[in-house]
Amino acid sequence: MNTPGYSAAVVAKAEAGGVHGTELAALRRRLRQLGEQHAGLLPGEDLEPLADLPHLDELPSPSPGQARDVLDRLVIVKLNGGLGTSMGLEGPKSVLEVKPGANFLDVLARQVLALRERHGARLPLVLMNSAITRDPSLKVLDHYGDLSAPGVPRDFLQGREPKIRASDFEPVRWPADPDLEWCPPGHGDIYPALAASGTLDALLGAGLCYAFVSNSDNLGALADVRIAAWLAAEQVPFALEAVRGTPADRKGGHLACYQGQLVLRETAQVPDGDDSFTDVERWRWYNTNNIWIDLRALKDLQAADPAAPDLPLIVNRKTVDPRDPDSTPVIQLESAMGAAIGSIPGARAVHVPRSRFAPVKTTNDLLVVRSDAYELTSDGEMRPSFDGQEPVVTLDEEYYKLLPDFEQRFPDGAPSLRRCHRFEVEGDVTFGADVVAVGDVLVTGPRQIPDGEVLGEGN
C-alpha cells in the first residue's frame, strides 16, 4: 500500500475541513504510525508488570499558604465532549442526572466552588467541549456564576479528523450525512487542542502553571492539593493517577513496562486472541484518566515538536455510521492522553484510592452512582458508602443498555447497593421502590420485584 498516497488524501481533507497547526501535526504522526507493522498493538507477552507506586497518602500535606499558592496557579480542565451514545443519548452525557436534581456538571461546579472557598484560590474551570456539547454544557454552568478567571476561556473545542475507510485507508465518504465522515481523535487530542485553540497560551498568560485534567463523568476526580503541591515541589512535568485493579476494571487501560519504558496499554491496543488485558493481578495499576500537567513543560515540548507529546497510536475500528453495523467499515486514529507518561521525561504515576475513580460509562456504572453506594455531599464530593469493594453491576444489555429502557425498569430509582458485592440481572426485570441487594445477587427474568424486597443472603 502506498502510504504517502493515502496520507496525502487524509491530510488534504483535514486541511480543507479546518484542521491546522499542532492538530494537523499530530494527525500526520498518527498516519505515519498507521503505516507501521502491527500499528498500535501492545501484546501482553511483550510487557512486564510494574512494581509498587507511591501512594497519595504518602505525599505531604502543604501548609494553608502553600495550598493557596499552588491552587492559585492550577486550572481544572474537564473532558466534556462525550455524547453518551453507548447509552442511547444524543446530547452531552454530562447533563445526565446522577443524583436527584444534580447532573455531572452540577456536581463539578459544586466541587470547584467548595475548593475555592476552602483555600481562597482562583482555581478556574475550563471544559474541553465538542461542537455538540458546548452550548448545553455552558448553559448549565451559567447557573453558578463565573467559574473561570480573567483572561481564561470557559472552554475550548476538541479537534476532529477524517474517518478512514478500512479497506484502503482513504478518507471515507458518506453523502447521506457528511458529519459522520469526521471523528474526534481520542482524548490524547487535549495536547494539540490546547495549543491550536490558543488556550495554552491564555492559561500561561494568566499565571496558571499546572492543569488537573479528568473526564467530566468521573465524579471522584477532585483536585487534591497534595498532588498539586508535590507536582510543584518536585518539578514533575506529568503525573498520572492509577488505582489498584479490580474485576470491575473491564475498560480503560493499565500501566506496564515495555522495553524498559513505562507505558499505558488501552483496550484497543490488545491484539485479537490476547486475553491478558483483564489480568488485574499481573498488571495491578489501572489508569483513572486523571492527569496532572506542568503547562510550561508542555509548551517547551511543543516548541521542539508541534505534535508533542509523542503518543502511541490507537486504531479504533467502527462503521462510518455507528448506529448502522452494515455501513462502511472505518478506522479512527486515536491516542490516549495518559499515554504521555511513556514519552515525557520525568513523568510519574501515583497510587490513589478507588474513591477518585468513579466513571460512568454504561448504565451498569450509572446504577451504582445513583444508588446509596455513593453519597453526594453539599460540597460536591461523591463519597463512597459501600462496604468493602465497590459493587460490580452487570445488567442484561438487551433490556438495560439504553437509558430509556434502563429507567423504565427502575421507575422508582436504584436499589440499595451499599451492602452488595455483585448485582447481576439476566432477562427482563422491573424493580419496585426501596429494593435492597445484599452480598452476591443474581436476578433472572421475566420478573417484577415488589417494593421493599430484600435480594441476597438466602432470600
Side-chain angles (χ1 to χ4, degrees), residues 108-120 123 378-380:
L108 173 58
R110 294 182 197 178
Q111 292 174 353
V112 172
L113 293 173
L115 283 167
R116 284 181 172 185
E117 182 177 357
R118 187 177 308 140
H119 297 285
L123 202 63
S378 59
D379 60 2

Side-chain angles (χ1 to χ4, degrees), residues 263-285:
V263 296
L264 173 66
R265 182 169 70 150
E266 298 279 344
T267 310
Q269 294 172 283
V270 182
D272 291 339
D274 183 345
D275 60 359
S276 67
F277 186 82
T278 55
D279 187 350
V280 297
E281 295 303 320
R282 177 170 174 77
W283 306 122
R284 301 179 65 200
W285 307 115

